[in-house]
Amino acid sequence: MRADRLVAVLLLLQARGRVTAAELAEELEISVATARRDLEALSAAGIPVYPQQGRGGGWQLVGGARTDLTGLTAAEARALFLMLGPATTAAAPLTSALRKLMRALPATFRADAEAAARAVVSDSARWGEVGRELPELVEDLQGAVVGRRKVRLAYTGRGGRSTERLVDPLGLVDKDGVWYLLAGTDSGRRTFRVDRIAGAQMTDLPAEHPDDFDLSAEWERVVDEVEQRRSLVSAVVLIHDRHVPVLRDQFGRHCEVLGQDAGGRTRVRVAAPMALSIAEHLAGWGARIEVVEPEQVRAELARIGAELVARYAP
């Protein structure tokens, strides 16, 4: 039998005390006959696995063998699920593995492991920022999320003003190396950039954490709000079809193909916070791209072109 399946069988026996061959087959996605052979092989190998006959019977791991076969401490189990993140965002094999491992954990570990699995979402999409090293505060904030304790934050806003507030930490998001804390406040849910948190003190006060809170869904809502602010101005441009992928790399989700132009070029809509932002992105394309509308983007391009001519013309 495969070594990984042997360990899985032992973990399930340790967690449940007694299982039937049918239950084992369903959990490990193998046939009942294979499950029975695995159990018999364990018993023949000297591991104290014994069949129990009669109504409510099954196979049981007995005696001193019922120890923590996972080898994980509570802290290690929590760290593992913090690293893996929520099963809802994982690939199918990882989702299955997380489910089986969660069921195999000692009952006293499961609550923290489940909370840790919901405490972090990893978002690899970029917002044009360079990746950063893991902030020192992240580990402390993760502990506050899992432990459901209020945190007192010293936070510096965009304008440089420092404030202190008591928050209910709900989850952490890693977006391209930039960490964000989602938390409940007196003014509703807010998102805090961890690199702007000057200090965080976990208190003994229990944090409010809605039972129906979904970190992934909440982060999607935050992203939608940010992206709406990042697409206040749009422009329609004409470009050769082979250059569309490059343009999409520049503008990300704010690049929409509208169709083909009569002249054979592709009609594309791009967006950014300001007309100047669009013009700065497009200026390097030169004559390979034509801005159809709006006029303010065309005017910004003309201004940039005039500045370049004034500086670099012979």
Side-chain angles (χ1 to χ4, degrees), residues 40-62:
E40 291 172 350
L42 284 172
S43 181
I47 296 174
V49 177
Y50 300 103
Q52 303 292 320
Q53 303 298 325
R55 187 179 181 86
W59 290 76
Q60 187 172 1
L61 183 65
V62 297

Side-chain angles (χ1 to χ4, degrees), residues 55 59 84 91 95 108 119 128 130 142 144 167 177 284:
R55 187 179 181 86
W59 290 76
L84 295 176
T95 299
T108 54
V130 178
Q142 286 174 341
V167 304

Side-chain angles (χ1 to χ4, degrees), residues 176-194:
D176 193 32
V178 181
W179 284 84
Y180 297 85
L181 170 68
L182 277 64
T185 72
D186 292 338
S187 303
R189 291 178 187 172
R190 294 290 185 269
T191 304
F192 302 92
R193 277 185 60 143
V194 174

